Amino acid sequence: MARNVEFNEEEAIQKAMEVFWEKGYNGTSLRDLTDAMKINSSSLYNTIGDKSELYLRCITHYTDLRKKDLQQRMSSKKPAFEILVEYINDAIKVITDGRNGCMAIKAAFEVGANNKKVKAILKNDSEYADQFLTSLIKKAMDEGHLSDEEDPKLIADYFISTWTGWYESYIIHKDADKIRKMGQYFIRQISK
Amino acid sequence: MARNVEFNEEEAIQKAMEVFWEKGYNGTSLRDLTDAMKINSSSLYNTIGDKSELYLRCITHYTDLRKKDLQQRMSSKKPAFEILVEYINDAIKVITDGRNGCMAIKAAFEVGANNKKVKAILKNDSEYADQFLTSLIKKAMDEGHLSDEEDPKLIADYFISTWTGWYESYIIHKDADKIRKMGQYFIRQISK
DNA sequence: AGTTTTTTGAAACAATCATTTCAGAATTAC
DNA sequence: GTAATTCTGAAATGATTGTTTCAAAAAACT
């Protein structure tokens, strides 16, 4: 009957995500997007939709990638405490790699407050990470590697918050050592 | 010889700041600004300059306000630990008041990474807060109200980071109780 | 191969963007 | 009061914004 879409949608979303990630929603023009995606705007509007719909697809893609990472970590057979420390150290590495920071955090501050759909995606993402951490912390307590004085959920919430601040700190100070020290402090605190 | 500027520059900056605070740099148009400031764009360009210069004036104004608040707190005669706890609780109140969040944090994530001048202002602001907290924590340790096992500077850095995350958490979850619990946890941790 | 349906590319769209222009109003100094 | 100077308001600037249009090209089906 008819023709198929020529471009690879997932690749295009990936490219668009990278642009939004760097420049933010309002800082990105449609030309920026179509240039990166290597498609014409008519194709974009024909398949994905307008700028805001594309943006939603992009943060969804971003949070999906993160979800997959967490799932992989959960399937590990190592002691929970080890997985936890590894996760924290990897988080620090990502921050101090000096890339574009975390797209979800940037989105939260730029559009999250005024956009229900974006907020819902971010909330979902945050809750998934929260569950991952909570169950990990709980397991580490059961295995005797972590003090069980505090509520695992509270510590999970707390880590996620702290982690966000590390991104801001690194943007402003570019001091990787500062982040590492805070990471060590956090692990020290939850251990005792 | 000639005429004077008709509008009150400080009031105009204040109004512009509120708009930038809510909508961000890229989300704010020049019409938004001149409407709020109640001046013509020609007057704006004649006195303050273009959009980016106005923005710099606005975050400077914002950080100046914060500086004044810290100076007031420092002049208090109360025990350092008390000032510290008060500061933390006030911070939590501001967050859970549900306004526009913190302009400095929003600025850091939206433009800080790509704008040297903005970054410099934010760095200055952050260092001032850091010094305030560090000296306060140190004093509280000397006064025997705080464990002196850890480096005061580290705890100060750590609090600033955590605090940033509380803003994000509140944007996404609007859960004031969650923030309060994290605040209590923080105070508990540094006390023992 | 021919018909049908859909995608694509380039151009056009009105709206809005930040910024500038300039004549006239306003104010100061003499 | 007059002259000099600067500020203000409204309009115009060209560039860029997100989005749409439409003819031609491309594929899938019979």
Side-chain angles (χ1 to χ4, degrees), chain B:
Chain B
M1 299 258 276
R3 209 173 154 185
N4 288 335
V5 180
E6 212 172 61
F7 68 97
N8 182 324
E9 198 165 304
E10 212 192 312
E11 278 177 25
I13 294 283
Q14 172 75 30
K15 287 291 173 195
M17 182 193 73
E18 288 166 13
V19 182
F20 274 134
W21 191 344
E22 190 200 334
K23 304 191 171 189
Y25 180 78
N26 289 308
T28 302
S29 76
L30 231 96
R31 264 186 184 72
D32 292 336
L33 292 164
T34 50
D35 283 356
M37 299 164 86
K38 281 167 188 159
I39 61 169
N40 192 277
S41 58
S42 72
S43 298
L44 172 62
Y45 278 82
N46 239 13
T47 52
I48 297 166
D50 64 10
K51 189 184 173 187
S52 64
E53 284 182 87
L54 175 59
Y55 186 71
L56 290 176
R57 291 284 299 273
C58 288
I59 17 174
T60 303
H61 181 60
Y62 182 84
T63 56
D64 282 350
L65 291 175
R66 194 142 68 169
K67 203 175 221 171
K68 274 177 199 158
D69 172 64
L70 294 187
Q71 281 164 348
Q72 215 159 27
R73 290 175 191 275
M74 275 196 287
S75 67
S76 167
K77 302 290 171 201
K78 293 180 189 168
F81 182 73
E82 224 171 283
I83 302 175
L84 188 65
V85 171
E86 226 168 64
Y87 181 66
I88 294 170
N89 285 329
D90 285 353
I92 291 170
K93 257 184 221 157
V94 170
I95 291 169
T96 58
D97 251 8
R99 297 208 184 243
N100 278 320
C102 168
M103 192 194 181
I105 296 173
K106 286 177 107 174
F109 284 109
E110 192 197 350
V111 294
N114 305 313
N115 186 310
K116 280 192 174 188
K117 287 184 184 175
V118 171
K119 188 153 55 176
I121 296 168
L122 297 177
K123 188 173 178 174
N124 219 279
D125 175 62
S126 170
E127 275 164 5
Y128 194 87
D130 210 324
Q131 279 168 27
F132 164 76
L133 281 170
T134 302
S135 70
L136 210 57
I137 291 166
K138 203 172 182 178
K139 203 164 162 231
M141 286 176 176
D142 292 344
E143 291 171 356
H145 296 122
L146 223 59
S147 155
D148 60 353
E149 273 177 43
E150 299 283 353
D151 178 18
K153 177 89 165 65
L154 174 63
I155 298 183
D157 284 346
Y158 196 82
F159 174 68
I160 291 173
S161 285
T162 305
W163 186 40
T164 298
W166 293 350
Y167 271 107
E168 196 215 1
S169 170
Y170 193 74
I171 288 173
I172 294 175
H173 299 104
K174 287 265 175 279
D175 186 344
D177 203 52
K178 185 183 250 186
I179 312 295
R180 281 187 222 108
K181 278 182 183 158
M182 287 194 277
Q184 287 160 8
Y185 174 72
F186 176 75
I187 294 171
R188 215 181 305 142
Q189 288 299 315
I190 59 171
S191 297
K192 71 180 177 190

Side-chain angles (χ1 to χ4, degrees), chain A:
Chain A
M1 298 258 276
R3 206 174 155 185
N4 289 335
V5 181
E6 212 172 61
F7 69 97
N8 182 324
E9 198 166 304
E10 212 194 309
E11 278 176 26
I13 294 283
Q14 171 76 29
K15 287 291 173 193
M17 182 193 75
E18 289 166 12
V19 181
F20 275 133
W21 191 344
E22 190 200 334
K23 304 193 172 187
Y25 181 77
N26 289 308
T28 301
S29 75
L30 233 102
R31 269 176 184 74
D32 290 337
L33 293 164
T34 50
D35 283 356
M37 300 165 85
K38 280 167 191 161
I39 62 169
N40 192 276
S41 59
S42 72
S43 299
L44 173 62
Y45 278 81
N46 238 15
T47 52
I48 296 166
D50 64 10
K51 189 185 173 187
S52 63
E53 286 181 88
L54 175 59
Y55 186 71
L56 290 175
R57 291 283 300 273
C58 288
I59 18 172
T60 304
H61 181 59
Y62 182 83
T63 57
D64 281 350
L65 290 176
R66 194 143 67 169
K67 204 174 220 171
K68 274 178 199 158
D69 172 64
L70 294 187
Q71 282 165 345
Q72 214 160 27
R73 290 175 192 274
M74 277 196 288
S75 68
S76 167
K77 303 289 171 199
K78 293 180 189 169
F81 182 72
E82 223 171 284
I83 301 175
L84 187 65
V85 172
E86 225 168 63
Y87 181 65
I88 294 169
N89 286 328
D90 284 354
I92 292 170
K93 257 184 221 157
V94 170
I95 292 168
T96 56
D97 250 10
R99 297 208 184 244
N100 278 320
C102 169
M103 192 193 180
I105 297 173
K106 287 177 105 174
F109 284 109
E110 193 198 349
V111 295
N114 304 313
N115 186 310
K116 281 191 174 189
K117 288 184 184 175
V118 171
K119 188 153 55 177
I121 296 168
L122 296 177
K123 189 174 178 174
N124 219 280
D125 175 62
S126 171
E127 275 164 4
Y128 195 87
D130 211 324
Q131 279 168 28
F132 163 76
L133 280 169
T134 302
S135 70
L136 210 57
I137 291 166
K138 203 171 185 181
K139 203 166 163 229
M141 286 176 176
D142 292 342
E143 290 172 356
H145 296 121
L146 224 59
S147 157
D148 60 353
E149 274 177 42
E150 299 283 353
D151 179 19
K153 178 90 165 65
L154 174 63
I155 298 182
D157 284 346
Y158 194 82
F159 174 68
I160 290 173
S161 285
T162 306
W163 186 41
T164 298
W166 294 350
Y167 271 107
E168 196 213 1
S169 170
Y170 193 74
I171 287 172
I172 293 175
H173 298 104
K174 287 264 176 278
D175 186 344
D177 204 50
K178 186 183 250 187
I179 312 295
R180 280 186 223 112
K181 277 181 183 161
M182 288 194 277
Q184 286 160 8
Y185 174 73
F186 175 76
I187 295 171
R188 215 181 304 144
Q189 287 299 314
I190 59 171
S191 298
K192 69 178 176 190

